[in-house]
Amino acid sequence: MMHYSYKLLLCVFVAVDVLKNVIGAYEDDEDDGDPLNGRIISQVGDRNDKHLLDNYAQLMAGVKTETRQIGSDDDDDDAPAPAPPLIVEPLNRKKEKRFTCHSCDQPDCAHTVPCTDGLQCWSSHWRDSNGKDFYSRGCTNQLDQVPFFCGTGSGTGSVNRSHTKRNAGQYKFDCCMGDYCNNRSFPLLPTIINDDGGHGGMGGGVLWLAVLAPLVVLGAAAIGVVLLMRTNHRKRLVALRSLHGAAENGDVLYSGQTTDDLLAVTAAGDSTLREYLGGQSLTSGSGSGLPLLIQRTLAKQISLAECIGRGRYGEVWRAVWHGENIAVKIFFSRDEASWTRETDIYSTYLLRHENILGYIGSDMMSQNSCTQLWLITHYHPLGSLYDQLNRSSLTPLQMAKLSYSFLNGLVHLHTEISGTQGKPGIAHRDIKSKNILMKANWSCCIADFGLAVTHSRMTDSMDLPPNPRVGTKRYMAPEVIDESINMSSFESLRLADMYATGLVLWEMCWRTISNGIAEEYKLPYHDLVANDPSFEDMRKVVCIDQQRPIIPNRWSSDPMLSGLAKVLRECWHKNPHVRLPALRVKKTLVKLALSISPNQTPSSWLHTVSDL
């Protein structure tokens, strides 16, 4: 009894399960989801329950059994028998419905043809990364292609994917089931689809905006910082002018005071001169007793007129200041050290001398975002001694006047004056005819102190640059060329100046008329080296060959020139200690001049205008 009840229950269970799958297949209008895979189980004959359950479990697990012939099954239940096979018969599956669709190719879907035997119809809209649209229609014939086009096996569906890659685009499919159901309008793509927030094909413009916007912000910030710095600078200058504007007219004082407040010169431009030089005081003239410049800017009061010279350190301009001609030496910004050194030298107490270039002041000027360093001095329209020797020859008396005034300034420069406000000894280190200026009364004054060195016996201090090779190569002493000079000895530097002094005196003697003859102007060693000799050229001529400028035979018949020839040989001697000091050369020159013109005294030479 229990055996038949169990068998009946199993048959009911199988029948209910199969019925549920058949009903589900009809409701879906397709036959593709039944766990029996479109087959039903038929039990034939008398079966052992255990075998029946095993076969059903295999079928539910996806194992399909094949249909086989079933024999008689009227044996005893107790007799062992092999498990009978299951008969798996096809279900009355519904055939997939096929449709006829419109089909056309991109980009504009201009020519339409029918697409038959399609499982689904579709229409597509694709837009590339450049914003160009492509349209197409078609049908899906293979069941395994449906997920790639429509994403689902039945019904309708659409896909709208946005790509973040630069070369990606957008696309959308509309799928339907029915004859010619894809004849409707193409699917629409959203207007804003780019990851960078662009509209349509404006992604490139937005990218440029993203790049340029930070640059504009940074540029505006930089301009703001510059304007702020300029404003603060103007406020500082106004404060300095109000602090030091003691004089009513505010230009020049004639006074012998030496207080730091009156001796300092304000620098226009990026910083004040006091700040640049660490608070050192600066005079407006060559030592005490000169007009002292009150603290205010000079550059804004000066009008540049014409460029009158160029050198390795910058340019020299004729300028107008309060209606008077002045000279402005404008240094290149890379030569701040020379400008500072020259300003320091001109600011030395007791330096003022009639044979040293008159100093007015120093200034810093910002011009077109470039800092200019100005050195303002007296203006001498005759130019340099080099210019004058090129213009005309000299009479013996004119030569004596020029030589005496030049030596007079050099003696003052080399001499140290002791005292509370004393003057240190100064070695020029760049003596040459281009650095000696001609005054209107035909006397000379020494200029260009960018390489000068000061020395004080009281403190035994001397400010030295690290490079011993300075000055103009043609005028360098032998010990400077071969670097054997003792840079710690101030006397060695003064004797190097005397070597160059001998060459300058030779230039003047060369242009002096004797026996009615005057040679054309020549530079020293003109016949031995080129116009711009190298250190090696000068070392070979001066140090190795020990040659010196030519002394013409005609000088021996002129008492003035023959006497100076002996002085020259001693000035440019290879042994520095044999060279004559400046004071000795000056006295010798006076004796020679009085021998040819006893009625004129040396003091009258300095104030007598030339007859030329």
Side-chain angles (χ1 to χ4, degrees), residues 74-184:
D74 50 355
D75 294 337
D76 257 347
D77 295 334
D78 298 331
L86 290 176
I87 300 175
V88 182
E89 300 175 350
L91 194 64
N92 188 18
R93 175 185 294 183
K94 180 180 178 182
K95 185 179 180 180
E96 293 86 351
K97 190 173 182 179
R98 300 285 176 162
F99 308 101
T100 302
C101 311
H102 288 291
S103 176
C104 57
D105 295 329
Q106 52 184 326
D108 53 1
C109 205
H111 304 288
T112 304
V113 296
C115 174
T116 60
D117 198 29
L119 291 171
Q120 286 183 334
C121 303
W122 52 264
S123 59
S124 72
H125 182 187
W126 173 53
R127 180 179 295 146
D128 64 10
S129 59
N130 296 322
K132 185 176 180 180
D133 293 312
F134 299 85
Y135 303 94
S136 61
R137 289 188 173 99
C139 64
T140 306
N141 303 99
Q142 302 296 328
L143 188 62
D144 56 354
Q145 294 178 356
V146 172
F148 293 101
F149 283 86
C150 299
T152 180
S154 64
T156 62
S158 63
V159 177
N160 180 14
R161 295 194 182 104
S162 297
H163 296 263
T164 58
K165 294 183 179 180
R166 182 171 303 192
N167 58 352
Q170 315 159 57
Y171 63 87
K172 184 174 182 180
F173 281 86
D174 275 355
C175 300
C176 61
M177 300 178 66
D179 289 333
Y180 299 106
C181 65
N182 62 342
N183 196 30
R184 53 192 174 188

Side-chain angles (χ1 to χ4, degrees), residues 277-462:
L277 298 177
Q280 298 179 9
S281 62
L282 305 176
T283 66
S284 64
S286 299
S288 63
L290 268 184
L292 301 177
L293 189 67
I294 291 182
Q295 289 231 1
R296 54 182 300 153
T297 58
L298 281 173
K300 293 182 179 180
Q301 306 172 22
I302 295 173
S303 175
L304 299 178
E306 61 175 334
C307 181
I308 57 177
R310 287 182 174 87
R312 58 182 168 181
Y313 295 127
E315 300 175 340
V316 179
W317 285 71
R318 179 181 68 83
V320 178
W321 182 49
H322 296 300
E324 298 291 336
N325 285 326
I326 60 171
V328 177
K329 185 176 182 180
I330 302 177
F331 289 77
F332 297 129
S333 57
R334 66 175 181 268
D335 294 313
E336 292 181 7
S338 297
W339 175 80
T340 303
R341 177 63 60 90
E342 196 156 359
T343 300
D344 286 339
I345 296 297
Y346 277 121
S347 304
T348 304
Y349 294 116
L350 300 179
L351 182 65
R352 175 175 173 79
H353 192 273
E354 56 190 342
N355 298 122
I356 293 177
L357 180 62
Y359 172 67
I360 297 175
S362 293
D363 209 344
M364 300 178 75
M365 185 69 176
S366 293
Q367 188 76 14
N368 298 326
S369 301
C370 180
T371 302
Q372 293 182 348
L373 310 174
W374 286 19
L375 186 77
I376 303 146
T377 64
H378 293 173
Y379 172 68
H380 298 293
L382 294 180
S384 67
L385 176 62
Y386 172 84
D387 298 328
Q388 181 60 44
L389 295 177
N390 275 277
R391 282 194 297 262
S392 63
S393 58
L394 306 175
T395 65
L397 187 57
Q398 289 172 343
M399 186 272 292
K401 292 180 181 180
L402 293 176
S403 301
Y404 179 83
S405 59
F406 161 55
L407 290 168
N408 199 36
L410 186 61
V411 168
H412 180 73
L413 201 64
H414 283 180
T415 302
E416 179 177 348
I417 302 175
S418 301
T420 304
Q421 294 292 337
K423 168 194 163 296
I426 300 173
H428 190 281
R429 302 178 72 210
D430 195 17
I431 295 291
K432 60 181 178 179
S433 56
K434 290 184 179 180
N435 288 340
I436 301 171
L437 302 182
M438 292 283 299
K439 300 175 73 172
N441 61 359
W442 264 66
S443 63
C444 293
C445 60
I446 301 174
D448 197 346
F449 294 93
L451 300 175
V453 172
T454 61
H455 174 263
S456 174
R457 288 197 188 97
M458 296 181 62
T459 59
D460 196 23
S461 61
M462 183 169 59

